[in-house]
Amino acid sequence: MVTTTSDGSLRESSAHGFDARTPARRHALGLARRVASHRCPVLIMGPTGVGKEVLAEDIHRHGDRATKRFVAVNCAAVSSALFESTFFGHMRGSFTGATSDKPGLVELADRGTLFLDEVGELSLDNQAKLLRFLAQGTYWPVGSTTERRADVRIISATNRDISVGSDAFREDLYYRLSVITIRIPRLEPVDVKAIARSLAIQLAAHHGIDLEDDDVATVAEHCAGREWNGGARELRNLVERLMVLWTPDRPREELFAEVLGERSRRAGPARQERAEPSLASARVSKDLDSLVFLGIAAQCEDVKELAQRTERTVQAVYLRLKKLGLGPRNIGQNPELTTRMEEFRRRVAPELPWIRVLLTGS
């Protein structure tokens, strides 16, 4: 599949699909496959490096636009002053330096897919310009006197919470982009292990290194035992560093110690014992409150019961669910609600020692 970058150049998309080893990632992939054949906008939310663009490409590849372009743009890298020219193109002479007509990303993606990465970084002015195109399907190239039309499927992604209530993001644009919302959680060790195996094989071949199966397994095990705040990108950089420094006669543990450092997250006894539990922050308090709310929601049948059990009004429950990226249909035993609960569990987990002290007094 051919993709187009924000500067208009073509590149091949990732040869490696979205790895789905854990239930949450399998749910994300399953939802992506179900909506692939439809043309509704999709919003993918998740931390940096969890595979949002890879999942977007998977949606495009399994839809009826697979033979057309997948155009990807990093919204954070688009200058506010050049937004219209970048997205809608410009005509020769429309501004200084415009020496020829240039198509915008919308025209390049016509009958294909436009992937808006980091869409939460768009300014409010540019959000309004994007909203007009999404609402009408038409646009004006800079300097043109003729309105044009484009048939573009929009898939967007963000690592920020842009749901209703965010001051930095237009509510009407959020609803346009999030007809379907897919949430990808942080990488679990089983995900890291699988991705590291694939990367080790791929990068070893690239650097002309003959890795034994045991070496590949060892790399994967070491990577799975570490925290990856930068997601798959950080993981790839580190595996490539291992391959660059790899020599057949060098002790493996020495190499791993040099490259991986002291970032182990395995739960050994020394790691589990904390002399002084950290104090909970305001964010942790909010995360814990959200986890409790979701836990109650999982036991309820409908909004009315949830309102009664949480001592809220029905309207307040609707608003709370919206802020969490959910709706009334997600109440009860629901995969999307379960996924959100898992995200909050992971965020609260580092504060468990403090919470135990709070509950037990010792």
Side-chain angles (χ1 to χ4, degrees):
M1 179 179 66
V2 175
T3 65
T4 304
T5 60
S6 58
D7 61 2
S9 60
L10 297 181
R11 62 175 172 82
E12 291 298 318
S13 66
S14 172
H16 300 279
F18 183 80
D19 193 279
R21 305 299 176 102
T22 53
R25 289 176 71 85
R26 283 198 297 271
H27 172 68
L29 181 59
L31 182 55
R33 293 289 174 83
R34 288 203 301 275
V35 304
S37 59
H38 300 277
R39 299 191 176 186
C40 56
V42 177
L43 173 63
I44 305 174
M45 303 181 74
T48 299
V50 294
K52 295 188 289 295
E53 182 170 356
V54 177
L55 189 62
E57 290 183 1
D58 190 278
I59 294 172
H60 175 80
R61 188 165 55 247
H62 287 86
D64 59 2
R65 301 184 175 219
T67 59
K68 305 301 180 181
R69 281 177 172 172
F70 176 91
V71 180
V73 56
N74 184 336
C75 296
V78 178
S79 165
S80 187
L82 296 177
F83 175 86
E84 289 182 280
S85 174
T86 300
F87 274 74
F88 307 132
H90 62 253
M91 310 303 293
R92 178 182 178 183
S94 56
F95 55 85
T96 303
T99 57
S100 62
D101 294 352
K102 183 178 180 180
L105 300 178
V106 166
E107 182 178 343
L108 292 174
D110 190 23
R111 294 181 296 166
T113 300
L114 178 59
F115 175 60
L116 307 176
D117 196 12
E118 297 190 48
V119 69
E121 304 303 319
L122 286 176
S123 68
L124 289 172
D125 285 345
N126 289 334
Q127 288 176 37
K129 296 169 185 174
L130 176 61
L131 179 62
R132 183 188 181 281
F133 168 69
L134 295 181
Q136 301 182 12
T138 59
Y139 65 98
W140 295 78
V142 177
S144 174
T145 57
T146 304
E147 188 176 42
R148 300 184 185 181
R149 179 172 295 276
D151 174 17
V152 177
R153 183 184 190 168
I154 300 293
I155 302 177
S156 50
T158 178
N159 58 12
R160 292 174 46 190
D161 183 4
I162 62 170
S163 56
V164 177
S166 171
D167 294 335
F169 206 82
R170 293 178 61 108
E171 183 174 326
D172 46 5
L173 178 57
Y174 170 74
Y175 284 126
R176 285 278 181 183
L177 296 175
S178 62
V179 173
I180 298 294
T181 299
I182 302 177
R183 297 181 182 276
I184 308 177
R186 291 188 181 277
L187 297 177
E188 295 286 354
V190 65
D191 301 315
V192 173
K193 189 173 182 178
I195 296 171
R197 283 185 62 88
S198 176
L199 287 172
I201 294 170
Q202 173 193 353
L203 293 171
H206 176 75
H207 291 284
I209 297 169
D210 186 17
L211 280 187
E212 300 291 338
D213 289 343
D214 288 347
D215 291 330
V216 173
T218 302
V219 170
E221 286 291 342
H222 276 75
C223 290
R226 280 152 175 84
E227 198 72 59
W228 300 98
N229 295 327
R233 294 187 186 92
E234 181 188 5
L235 177 58
R236 180 187 177 88
N237 288 343
L238 187 138
V239 173
E240 182 155 27
R241 195 178 309 139
L242 276 172
M243 295 302 101
V244 169
L245 299 176
W246 193 279
T247 54
D249 56 344
R250 186 175 184 183
R252 299 293 177 256
E253 292 304 320
E254 178 184 311
L255 176 61
F256 291 135
E258 176 185 340
V259 176
L260 297 177
E262 300 298 326
R263 295 183 298 167
S264 177
R265 70 175 178 189
R266 287 176 181 157
R271 177 109 178 150
Q272 290 178 338
E273 296 175 3
R274 291 187 182 182
E276 294 291 337
S278 62
L279 293 177
S281 64
R283 181 194 62 77
V284 172
S285 176
K286 291 178 181 178
D287 289 345
L288 186 57
D289 181 66
S290 295
L291 182 57
V292 171
F293 177 82
L294 292 173
I296 296 173
Q299 301 173 359
C300 294
E301 295 292 333
D302 52 32
V303 171
K304 184 176 180 181
E305 182 183 356
L306 180 55
Q308 291 174 343
R309 293 187 60 180
T310 58
E311 298 183 349
R312 287 176 166 88
T313 65
V314 170
Q315 183 181 11
V317 168
Y318 273 111
L319 290 174
R320 187 65 186 275
L321 288 170
K322 281 184 178 181
K323 284 190 175 182
L324 293 170
L326 301 171
R329 63 183 176 81
N330 300 123
I331 294 175
Q333 298 300 315
N334 178 274
E336 291 187 31
L337 185 142
T338 300
T339 298
R340 291 294 279 151
M341 288 184 67
E342 287 298 324
E343 291 178 17
F344 283 113
R345 284 195 188 102
R346 279 190 291 273
R347 290 165 65 169
V348 171
E351 305 299 333
L352 284 179
W354 183 88
I355 295 171
R356 290 193 188 99
V357 170
L358 188 66
L359 292 173
T360 64
S362 60

